[in-house]
Amino acid sequence: MLLTILGCSGSAPGPGAAASGYLIEAEGASLVVDLGNGTLAALQGRRDPFALDALLLSHLHPDHCADVSALTVLRRYHPRPPYDPRVRRLPLHAPSEAADRLGAAYAPSAAERSETDLSDVYDFRPLAAGTRHIGPFEVTAVPVAHPCEAYGFRIRHEGRVLAYTGDTGPCPQLRELAADADLLLAEATWPDHPDQVPDLHLSGTQAGELARAAGARRLLVTHVASWFDAEQVAGEAAAAFAGPTARAEAGRRYEI
């Protein structure tokens, strides 16, 4: 598998930095996991948006799905033949409210209500705990601790495993998600501190502790909020985990 970081700024885009989005490729197939603010531009520099096999959304906070509106415009109105959205809709695996929430984000006014039905562009497939197959990928969705319906993803291809936490606070499910992963892509929004809001985000230290407890082989820290020092957060993670540790960088590609 090949992982490309489309964006990794936590909670909101930062100066010159897109929010969360990740491109995963293998055997000519491709998945995009999350499509936050600014990530569609990065995607178009790496992969034809019409050639995606699926889009997965870990949850419906804007920094993980805001560019779905832009993708809707591109797929609905682009004149490129022979693409016909009535024939080929993009499978969109997302939490249960995705069709309504993304439709409202796209066209919220009363005059545009007919535009809020996005089923001409997407084949909505609600997420639930469990495993599904998407092309050559085995994708296991694991519910995680966040203020809304949220999932982490465990993506397997030819015996290799990429585990992505999505947005989450510490919870027992993360051990299952990250167990023996070849690469753990773990959110670490902030430096460790004693008064963290529960069920919201991980600190750098907690991301490192998760990698160590789960037996992950490599740790890639992502989703650091732009108002914190990403090197400090990644340093916390490295101090808690003896394996190779780095912070995600937009535009970088990682072999798994």
Side-chain angles (χ1 to χ4, degrees):
M1 281 186 290
L2 180 65
L3 166 68
T4 301
I5 309 297
L6 303 176
C8 52
S9 182
S11 300
S20 293
Y22 310 95
L23 172 65
I24 301 165
E25 300 170 283
E27 297 183 36
S30 58
L31 308 176
V32 167
V33 177
D34 288 340
L35 197 67
N37 322 62
T39 54
L40 180 59
L43 172 63
Q44 291 177 85
R46 296 288 186 178
R47 186 81 177 188
D48 180 353
F50 291 99
L52 298 177
D53 291 278
L55 171 61
L56 285 73
L57 300 179
S58 63
H59 65 294
L60 299 176
H61 284 159
D63 60 314
H64 293 257
C65 68
D67 270 16
V68 174
S69 291
L71 181 63
T72 302
V73 173
L74 188 149
R75 292 184 68 93
R76 181 177 273 171
Y77 296 113
H78 196 292
R80 171 186 176 180
Y83 178 74
D84 182 343
R86 294 169 298 179
V87 175
R88 180 167 177 252
R89 298 178 298 157
L90 178 65
L92 200 167
H93 304 257
S96 56
E97 295 181 345
D100 291 338
R101 292 270 301 277
L102 296 173
Y106 178 75
S109 74
E112 297 177 299
R113 279 180 185 157
S114 64
E115 298 291 298
T116 66
D117 181 0
L118 306 186
S119 61
D120 62 317
V121 180
Y122 304 110
D123 176 8
F124 287 98
R125 303 185 183 186
L127 287 170
T131 299
R132 58 189 70 192
H133 289 84
I134 304 172
F137 304 100
E138 179 186 278
V139 179
T140 300
V142 177
V144 294
H146 205 52
C148 61
E149 183 183 358
Y151 297 87
F153 297 118
R154 184 177 173 89
I155 301 172
R156 179 186 295 273
H157 174 262
E158 292 191 342
R160 298 285 183 173
V161 173
L162 165 64
Y164 169 52
T165 62
D167 280 12
T168 181
C171 59
Q173 304 92 288
L174 292 176
R175 286 280 296 272
E176 170 195 350
L177 175 76
D180 300 318
D182 294 283
L183 178 63
L184 171 59
L185 181 63
E187 79 112 293
T189 301
W190 46 41
D192 202 53
H193 57 93
D195 299 319
Q196 290 178 197
V197 179
D199 296 338
L200 188 59
H201 292 300
L202 301 177
S203 68
T205 296
Q206 289 167 331
E209 290 172 344
L210 170 62
R212 183 184 68 225
R217 292 172 178 80
R218 281 193 292 164
L219 173 61
L220 194 60
V221 170
T222 191
H223 199 271
V224 180
S226 63
W227 47 89
F228 291 120
D229 182 343
E231 291 296 342
Q232 176 188 351
V233 174
E236 286 186 1
F241 175 55
T245 304
R247 67 178 180 88
E249 298 179 51
R252 284 287 302 273
R253 311 180 89 181
Y254 301 87
E255 292 272 0
I256 304 167

